[in-house]
Amino acid sequence: MKRSISTRNIFLGIGLIAVVTLTGMNVYSLFELHETTIEAAEENKRNQIDEFANQLRYRFASPFFGLRRFDMKTVENHYLKKGTFPEKFHRQLTDAFNDPLFSDVYWSPHDLDHCMDSTLPIYRYDSENAEFKAVESVSDIVCEGIGLARSRSRALSSEYVHSYRTSFDTHRSLTVSLINLRENRVVGHITLLIDRDYLVNQIIQSQLQETFGNAEQSGVVLWLRDWMAGEVLAVSDTTYAYTGHSDQHQVRQRYTDLPDNWILNAQLLDSPAIAASDTSLFRNLIVLGTAVIALFGALIFMYITAKRERELAQRQAGFLANVTHELKTPLAAMQAAGENISDGRVADGERLKSYGTHIYNETIRLRKMIDKLLDVARIDSGQSIIQKSPQHLDQLVESWFRNHYNYVTSRGFKFHLNTEDRLPTTMVDVDHIETILSNLVDNAIKYSGIKKEIAIEVARNGKWMELRVTDRGVGISHTAQKRIFDKFYRIEDSMTARTKGHGLGLSIVRDLVHLHEGDVVVESSPGSGTTFTARIPVVSTAAPAESPAMSKPESIALPAKKKQPQAEPG
Ligand code: ADP
């Protein structure tokens, strides 16, 4: 037996571990999926920010891509001969020259420093006539732009690969140095002054808003800052102020080759994709939680049911052994008494009477036990027949009370009956009601200690007729109350151990009350007695016709009636 208990426990343990493990794995996968979704969403935003920075680079660099196919030696010769760029070359640059991003364009046809030597020629682009015109002097910005381009080109002179190089002087100018690859030397510099306002407001600000716009939708806010001046130049969503908080530096995009004191800061917010992933995670966790609770519930339910069934089987086996023993004992006693009488060994009247009483009592015991067994067998096989007839329950109970009064009081009990007046008729099976009463009163007798008092009550409670049997006996603990109606269940205490029984009486009571579409409940507390209430539905509200014979006080405690045949309950 122990083995089967531990096997069941092991299986329950395995089941619980499996549920916990599977749940853990599922929760882990859900969180991992959630993390991956968030990471993918963030990665996507980072790519968008990268892309944005590249677009700006492209905006600056793209007008000059076509210069690669020109041989700058030819360009230089053409310029030296005619004072203008070759037409194709000029056309290539027209877009850049006319781009409002550049406020002025200068051309210095040599790799010398005009700002050091003002005799060196330098030209400014006249967009109206589409030609370069010589100027006397130029601003410092032009000089610094050319100076920077010269030093950078010179530093890389051994690595010239393309026929031009672009150099930025922060956000102020862009200088394109034209390189004669054949002779490995710079032939001149075209310096384009950057219109900062146009760049910030018309290009960056508008592109930021166009690409990222409403931060709640795009899930990202970008600020373009001049970190040296500590100034915010542009923002993708103007409702978000730049505070310098670390959150706002989640992504930092430097423009190393472009305006290098400018920096693009980005803060990643919870985008709709992340919010959707949060909701889906929450929903999945709820579904998983419910499934796990249901699974746990089912496992524990199965465990408890299996345990109950095992206990029932144990009790049934014990019951069979008991019954066999209890059937044999009275039979043996009756056999011996019968033998003695038939052999003529017992002749005198007193002894004959005592043998007769003995046989009579043993027969009663046998009958009671066989009745109970038959009741159980009938109910179990669904053969229990109920023959209802309209009855006045109070009269029925009173008649039973009168018949058993002497038996109960002879055992030292005070026995009362209380019935309400003018109770309606009820559809009941008379035999079943007697069985119910017998079992309940029999128990009240068996499980009473020194306070020997039993009361039966019949009363109406709304649509129910209630039949109550109360004793002042040992009482029943709250836990045991849940199980006393189970078949073969007996409370494991010293009182029950001392009394005879098989745990069938209350199960029979409950089944018979159920056959009447009623219910039976117990109220009890250990040490202060027990009340069993059997409720049966009222079918007629008509009061019984009052007959002088049956008219009675509300409460009766009958004196013993000598001539009345006395019966044990059951
Ligand atoms: P039994 O044959 O053991 O009396 P029952 O089904 O009638 O079987 O009762 C089940 C158990 O409930 C009993 O073993 C007893 O422990 C408890 N019980 C029943 N009636 C009472 C009562 N009136 N007072 C205290 N305990 C009771």
Side-chain angles (χ1 to χ4, degrees):
M1 198 56 68
K2 266 194 179 154
R3 239 188 77 215
S4 81
I5 292 174
S6 59
T7 313
R8 205 178 54 244
N9 285 343
I10 289 171
F11 275 115
L12 177 73
I14 293 175
L16 292 177
I17 291 172
V19 173
V20 170
T21 316
L22 282 175
T23 314
M25 277 165 61
N26 271 317
V27 170
Y28 178 76
S29 317
L30 283 176
F31 273 100
E32 209 174 42
L33 187 72
H34 182 60
E35 283 298 304
T36 319
T37 315
I38 293 177
E39 273 168 26
E42 286 191 1
E43 185 62 31
N44 189 25
K45 285 179 212 163
R46 283 173 207 275
N47 288 342
Q48 271 182 298
I49 295 165
D50 245 13
E51 173 80 17
F52 178 80
N54 285 337
Q55 272 173 8
L56 191 62
R57 280 192 192 101
Y58 186 79
R59 176 77 167 77
F60 276 106
S62 61
F64 307 107
F65 287 159
L67 295 185
R68 278 189 198 179
R69 49 194 172 87
F70 289 96
D71 174 7
M72 294 307 169
K73 170 95 181 134
T74 322
V75 173
E76 184 183 29
N77 286 342
H78 189 281
Y79 186 80
L80 291 176
K81 258 192 226 155
K82 303 198 173 164
T84 58
F85 288 132
E87 201 192 324
K88 274 191 185 166
F89 184 82
H90 191 101
R91 218 181 305 129
Q92 178 65 47
L93 289 172
T94 316
D95 281 352
F97 292 165
N98 295 324
D99 189 336
L101 173 61
F102 303 114
S103 56
D104 259 324
V105 182
Y106 291 89
W107 160 237
S108 52
H110 42 72
D111 189 22
L112 297 169
D113 197 339
H114 164 83
C115 299
M116 293 288 200
D117 180 355
S118 56
T119 58
L120 292 168
I122 190 155
Y123 303 89
R124 180 171 173 274
Y125 186 68
D126 171 4
S127 54
E128 268 178 34
N129 300 313
E131 60 183 23
F132 282 95
K133 284 187 179 158
V135 283
E136 289 297 309
S137 63
V138 289
S139 71
D140 287 349
I141 299 179
V142 181
C143 290
E144 283 163 23
I146 296 173
L148 201 77
R150 281 185 68 220
S151 56
R152 284 191 187 161
S153 322
R154 214 166 288 150
L156 294 169
S157 61
S158 54
E159 296 167 26
Y160 290 151
V161 188
H162 299 302
S163 55
Y164 75 97
R165 271 201 90 251
T166 51
S167 321
F168 279 94
D169 174 13
T170 66
H171 53 267
R172 301 189 303 171
S173 69
L174 163 66
T175 297
V176 182
S177 307
L178 307 182
I179 298 161
N180 174 346
L181 285 175
R182 281 191 266 172
E183 292 164 12
N184 211 36
R185 68 180 173 81
V186 173
V187 300
H189 303 279
I190 302 169
T191 300
L192 302 101
L193 299 190
I194 298 170
D195 182 337
R196 183 178 176 279
D197 286 345
Y198 186 86
L199 172 63
V200 170
N201 300 324
Q202 303 299 315
I203 299 181
I204 300 182
Q205 175 68 44
S206 66
Q207 268 182 23
L208 271 179
Q209 282 184 353
E210 201 175 294
T211 317
F212 300 100
N214 184 324
E216 275 175 20
Q217 279 169 15
S218 64
V220 61
V221 196
L222 285 113
W223 295 270
L224 177 73
R225 291 175 57 238
D226 182 333
W227 62 271
M228 275 173 70
E231 183 190 351
V232 174
L233 303 169
V235 57
S236 60
D237 184 335
T238 48
T239 51
Y240 285 77
Y242 182 78
T243 58
H245 190 270
S246 58
D247 273 1
Q248 301 184 326
H249 297 263
Q250 277 169 315
V251 181
R252 294 157 80 99
Q253 180 73 48
R254 296 288 296 267
Y255 290 101
T256 42
D257 50 347
L258 291 182
D260 55 8
N261 51 343
W262 287 5
I263 191 164
L264 200 57
N265 281 350
Q267 181 177 4
L268 308 180
L269 308 171
D270 279 358
S271 64
I274 294 175
S277 167
D278 282 346
T279 320
S280 130
L281 175 71
F282 181 70
R283 208 182 306 121
N284 284 338
L285 284 178
I286 295 273
V287 171
L288 190 66
T290 318
V292 168
I293 290 170
L295 216 57
F296 262 119
L299 262 179
I300 287 168
F301 174 76
M302 273 157 53
Y303 177 80
I304 291 172
T305 316
K307 194 169 162 228
R308 285 239 166 119
E309 271 169 18
R310 190 181 55 84
E311 282 171 6
L312 182 70
Q314 271 174 342
R315 287 205 300 266
Q316 260 170 334
F319 165 77
L320 208 64
N322 273 349
V323 162
T324 323
H325 172 76
E326 288 199 25
L327 286 177
K328 276 163 88 182
T329 317
L331 277 177
M334 286 193 295
Q335 190 182 357
E339 255 175 33
N340 285 343
I341 296 169
S342 64
D343 287 356
R345 267 181 272 163
V346 181
D348 92 88
E350 268 313 300
R351 283 190 67 201
L352 261 178
K353 198 180 161 200
S354 115
Y355 270 68
T357 315
H358 191 59
I359 292 174
Y360 174 75
N361 286 341
E362 292 301 326
T363 321
I364 297 281
R365 260 183 70 193
L366 264 181
R367 187 179 59 76
K368 273 170 68 177
M369 194 177 302
I370 289 167
D371 280 351
K372 270 193 185 173
L373 287 175
L374 285 176
D375 283 342
V376 172
R378 268 200 298 267
I379 293 168
D380 273 0
S381 61
Q383 285 171 10
S384 184
I385 298 163
I386 175 158
Q387 286 176 330
K388 287 190 195 172
S389 56
Q391 295 289 337
H392 295 301
L393 196 60
D394 50 337
Q395 293 171 10
L396 198 65
V397 173
E398 191 184 319
S399 150
W400 187 92
F401 177 79
R402 283 177 193 280
N403 284 340
H404 295 82
Y405 185 83
N406 277 1
Y407 171 79
V408 177
T409 50
S410 70
R411 272 156 181 72
F413 281 84
K414 286 186 190 162
F415 196 22
H416 311 282
L417 171 68
N418 298 305
T419 55
E420 268 181 15
D421 252 350
R422 303 178 65 79
L423 288 171
T425 51
T426 313
M427 293 296 287
V428 291
D429 181 314
V430 177
D431 289 344
H432 288 351
I433 294 297
E434 286 183 353
T435 310
I436 291 170
L437 271 171
S438 298
N439 280 310
L440 292 180
V441 172
D442 202 15
N443 277 352
I445 294 172
K446 283 199 292 187
Y447 304 111
S448 283
I450 40 169
K451 288 186 199 154
K452 292 179 181 286
E453 196 169 345
I454 300 171
I456 302 180
E457 278 178 278
V458 184
R460 182 177 182 167
N461 184 357
K463 57 177 185 152
W464 302 102
M465 283 295 288
E466 291 190 341
L467 170 58
R468 285 191 281 270
V469 177
T470 303
D471 63 57
R472 288 157 150 268
V474 291
I476 304 168
S477 72
H478 190 68
T479 347
Q481 284 177 27
K482 292 179 195 148
R483 308 204 49 199
I484 48 172
F485 295 101
D486 291 355
K487 205 180 292 168
F488 305 117
Y489 178 80
R490 302 197 79 208
I491 298 173
E492 284 172 14
D493 61 14
S494 54
M495 180 62 146
T496 310
R498 280 198 307 274
T499 55
K500 293 203 170 187
H502 303 101
L504 291 175
L506 289 180
S507 127
I508 294 171
V509 168
R510 186 199 52 193
D511 291 339
L512 294 183
V513 176
H514 282 176
L515 281 177
H516 284 81
E517 285 142 36
D519 201 5
V520 58
V521 288
V522 58
E523 291 159 76
S524 180
S525 58
S528 48
T530 306
T531 299
F532 283 96
T533 306
R535 292 187 191 134
I536 293 165
V538 171
V539 287
S540 155
T541 52
E546 215 150 290
S547 75
M550 294 317 264
S551 111
K552 59 198 175 298
E554 276 202 352
S555 168
I556 58 169
L558 298 180
K561 279 189 184 170
K562 294 250 162 56
K563 280 184 187 163
Q564 206 171 329
Q566 296 302 310
E568 274 186 67

